[in-house]
Structures are given as structure tokens and as C-alpha cells.
Amino acid sequence: MTQPPSFAVISGAQVHEAITGREDQVTRMIEAAYRLHGEGATVNPDSYFLRFPDRPSSRIIALPASVKGDVDVHGIKWISSFPENVQAGIPRASAVLILNDTGTGYPFACLESSIISAARTAASAALAAAELSSRRGVRPGRVGFFGVGLIARYIHTYLAGNGFTFDELGVHDLSREHAEGFKGYLERSEKGTITIHESAEDLVRSSDLIVFATVAGEPHVTDPAWFGHNPLVLHVSLRDLSPEIILSSYNVVDDVEHCMKANTSPHLAEQRVGHRDFVAGTLYDVLTGAITPPAGTPVVFSPFGLGVLDLAVARYVYDQVTAAGDLQTVPGFFHELKRYG
């Protein structure tokens, strides 16, 4: 008789312990997950958005997914974004993730997932930066961070973990206090010149690699001329750039169907022109050499964020905690196991 698995709870502290200092290894996991996705070895339905009429800036998103290969797991991430939390002194995002056994469908673990989400987002961005800059033949020496929250910090960590070094680092945020805090963080590890830019235009024009990590709900950067120096743009927050900028750039996404939803900047561009021809391809296409981004035009990477990436990292964390003998299971979690009592 098949027995259901035990059910474990993995804390944020355990997640942090499992992945910290392993930025290159996590990036390789993300690359492998992208390859599985591109090869059709995943199931990644649309994300589901829970929104609130009385709190339009807040949302909770469900990301169900399934991954074959070495990951071999089903699951779902349930992640909330409440921007007002920042003013209250707690992080904007919080999340949990459930892993399900592929044989029985039983859930076997619940993991704190804000760290997993930040790590997979940062690893995806760092992978894109490395692959796109390599294929363009242009290694960026000046980076600009537009938005300075947890995601920006993780992206910086993952860029460094993937061998990026910068002579100049720029910072721009609507909050001077937050910009100062991020500058202080950068000063602890960076030798390059660090500048807080008062204007968005100054940051963009002075950066070869631009990281958008904001909570913007609609485009607020609208002038294509700011990008005339042909930078590489990691458009992680997805809604910062106007359709005009998208349409004048070489666009790479993580998944075309996913990215063309929920009024992302590429989705707005599609609505503007009535087609998707402005999308050159996916990061999988870059990895396999199907497309080659040019050096002579702005290149924008817009990742919607795939649940399969979360599952790849979560499975790794689960295996690491199990191997260390630190898995904390919940006795009797599954109770009604006899069909007729």
C-alpha cells in the first residue's frame, strides 16, 4: 500500500542557509529550468491575481507549475505584494510555496518563499545579463539600480556572484532615505564609484546596464532618447517602460504568452500596435543561439516570472535541508487515510 509522504515546514532561516553564497549554483539551476521549459518539460499555467477594490496597489498572486527532469515536482507559490508595508517597516512581499509529490499528488512541504522568489528573480536577471551581454560582445561597466528594495539587493548579489564588476554604480529611488540606505549597502562590497541620481534620466543615461526593480503599476519612463546609448535593460518590474521605448528596443522575454498579460509594458505595446513582432524571442532562444541580440540598439529583458523557477529552487532547498538532517515534519498532518474509516 502506498503511504502518503510526511509533511514538512521549512523556515526562511533554513532557506537562507541553503542558498546564501551559492549564487552561481542557483543561477545554473535557473538556467536548467529555463531549458526544461523551452523543451516542453514543464507545465506553467497563467498566474492568478487576487486584487482588492479598496487597496488597488496590493495583490496576492498564485503561481502553479510542474517541472520534470531532475526537479520532478509539482507545486504552487502564493505571494503577496503590499507596497504600504514598506512605510510600516516590514518588507513589501511575503510568500509561501507548496511542493507536491509527482506520484501521489500529496503536498509534502511548505516553504517560506519570499527568499526563494527573490533568489530566482535575481538569478534569472543575472543569467540574462550574462548571456545577453556576452552575445552582444559588450560587457557593461556602469550599472544603475532604479528602485532599491529587496529585489534590487538580490540582483546586485547575483550579478556579483556571476562575475560582474562595475567601475560606476548608480542609484535612483523616489525615497532619498531608501537610496541612501542602498548606497550604504553597496559601499560594503563595491570598489567602484557610487552615485545617487536625483533624476531618472540621469540614472538611465549614465548606465550601460539598468535594473528596474520598482513597484510601478504603469509606465513612468517614457522617452526613448534616454536609451540612445544602447544599454542592456533588466526590466524586472515589468511596467516601468512606455510602449514607445519597448517598440524602439530589441525585446527578450522569459515566456511570450505570460509576458503579454496584466498590462505589462510589452502587453501595452502589443495593444498599441496589434501584434507581437517587436518581441525577438525568449531567454531560451538566447541560450540555444536561436537569436543574437545586437550591440547597436537598446536590449530589454522583461521576465514575467515563471513558477517553474520557484519550484526548481524550492526543490533544491528541500533536498539540502533533508540531507542536513534538519527537516521538520508535522506528525499526523494527513489524518483521513482510510477510505471507509
Side-chain angles (χ1 to χ4, degrees):
M1 175 179 169
T2 300
Q3 294 295 319
S6 60
F7 187 79
V9 176
I10 297 177
S11 70
Q14 290 175 301
V15 174
H16 183 268
E17 175 69 22
I19 65 174
T20 299
R22 298 181 175 92
E23 289 80 20
D24 182 66
Q25 186 175 353
V26 173
T27 304
R28 301 286 74 78
M29 283 181 233
I30 295 302
E31 178 181 354
Y34 272 126
R35 291 184 182 275
L36 286 170
H37 186 64
E39 293 162 4
T42 66
V43 180
N44 203 110
D46 289 344
S47 300
Y48 299 90
F49 288 71
L50 176 62
R51 299 186 183 276
F52 314 98
D54 58 335
R55 299 189 64 159
S57 66
S58 300
R59 63 194 183 192
I60 309 179
I61 311 172
L63 290 83
S66 175
V67 190
K68 295 182 179 179
D70 292 338
V71 180
D72 190 33
V73 76
H74 311 315
I76 188 168
K77 180 175 72 171
W78 180 240
I79 181 166
S80 65
S81 174
F82 280 51
E84 292 82 2
N85 285 353
V86 176
Q87 299 302 319
I90 60 175
R92 169 189 62 86
S94 58
V96 294
L97 187 149
I98 300 293
L99 293 177
N100 293 74
D101 180 74
T102 55
T104 65
Y106 269 78
F108 62 88
C110 175
L111 299 87
E112 195 286 330
S113 197
S114 66
I115 296 172
I116 289 172
S117 189
R120 68 83 151 146
T121 300
S124 169
L127 174 65
E131 295 294 332
L132 291 169
S133 61
S134 173
R135 283 164 170 75
R136 295 178 89 198
V138 179
R139 191 73 169 180
R142 304 177 301 166
V143 65
F145 291 92
F146 202 129
V148 296
L150 178 73
I151 298 299
R153 173 162 62 86
Y154 266 76
I155 291 175
H156 170 260
T157 298
Y158 272 77
L159 287 171
N162 280 272
F164 282 87
T165 58
F166 302 103
D167 299 320
E168 299 177 25
L169 300 95
V171 177
H172 174 73
D173 195 90
L174 294 178
S175 166
R176 177 75 188 197
E177 179 185 357
H178 295 164
E180 292 282 2
F182 194 72
K183 180 184 178 184
Y185 155 74
L186 291 174
E187 287 172 341
R188 295 198 291 271
S189 60
E190 288 287 348
K191 295 184 173 63
T193 303
I194 304 169
T195 304
I196 295 177
H197 295 277
E198 296 298 333
S199 78
E201 180 178 0
D202 287 345
L203 177 86
V204 171
R205 288 187 181 275
S206 63
S207 305
D208 307 315
L209 174 64
I210 306 164
V211 178
F212 282 95
T214 74
V215 293
E218 58 187 25
H220 54 98
V221 177
T222 60
D223 189 349
W226 293 7
F227 300 82
H229 56 301
N230 303 321
L232 171 57
V233 180
L234 302 178
H235 188 210
V236 175
S237 36
L238 282 175
R239 296 171 178 85
D240 305 273
L241 304 179
S242 68
E244 291 80 6
I245 293 172
I246 294 293
L247 294 171
S248 61
S249 301
Y250 185 91
N251 292 280
V252 178
V253 300
D254 54 356
D255 183 286
V256 176
E257 290 298 326
H258 284 270
C259 204
M260 297 299 181
K261 291 182 174 69
N263 286 332
T264 64
S265 294
H267 187 206
L268 294 178
E270 179 189 32
Q271 294 173 59
R272 174 77 59 86
V273 297
H275 61 75
R276 301 175 176 183
D277 296 347
F278 56 87
V279 178
T282 66
L283 184 54
Y284 175 74
D285 294 327
V286 176
L287 291 169
T288 58
I291 60 173
T292 301
T297 191
V299 174
V300 177
F301 175 58
S302 298
F304 193 81
L306 302 175
V308 296
L309 307 182
D310 296 284
L311 293 193
V313 178
R315 182 65 197 232
Y316 169 78
V317 170
Y318 177 86
D319 290 343
Q320 288 291 107
V321 173
T322 300
D326 295 328
L327 197 65
Q328 301 173 32
T329 59
V330 181
F333 186 83
F334 298 109
H335 179 63
E336 286 285 1
L337 299 176
K338 295 182 179 180
R339 186 169 186 178
Y340 301 110

